[in-house]
Amino acid sequence: MKHQFSDALRAARQAKQLSQEDLGIPQSHASRLENGQKMPSWERVEALAEVLDVHPLTLFTLSYMFPETSLSELTDRVQKEIAAIRCVSTGIWSKEP
């Protein structure tokens, strides 16, 4: 997962035409994240997503799409899993996702 997240982070940063320095963290730390040497905390993922102007789940979704899973396959699976969880957890959510 570490290397897929690094690929996702790099792809999102490059798509936004940002440098590693633009991520709001030291360039050396950004480099370690993008090279798969470090995995960010949840708080760091949220901060990076804010700078990249994407939802944190976008970074995780991209991570699970590398190298060959399609977005539709991934979202279909997640929708089915959420529906199954909702069926056994009645009352937790009051409206559909």
Side-chain angles (χ1 to χ4, degrees), residues 19 27 34-35 43 48 55 73 77 91 96-97:
S19 69
Q27 186 276 329
E34 289 189 359
N35 288 323
E43 292 81 11
L48 290 167
H55 193 283
E73 289 174 321
R77 177 180 174 176
E96 291 297 312

Side-chain angles (χ1 to χ4, degrees), residues 7-19 52 54 62:
D7 292 340
L9 178 60
R10 183 181 309 105
R13 179 183 60 76
Q14 290 174 343
K16 298 289 184 167
Q17 299 181 339
L18 298 173
S19 69
L52 293 166
V54 299
L62 286 170

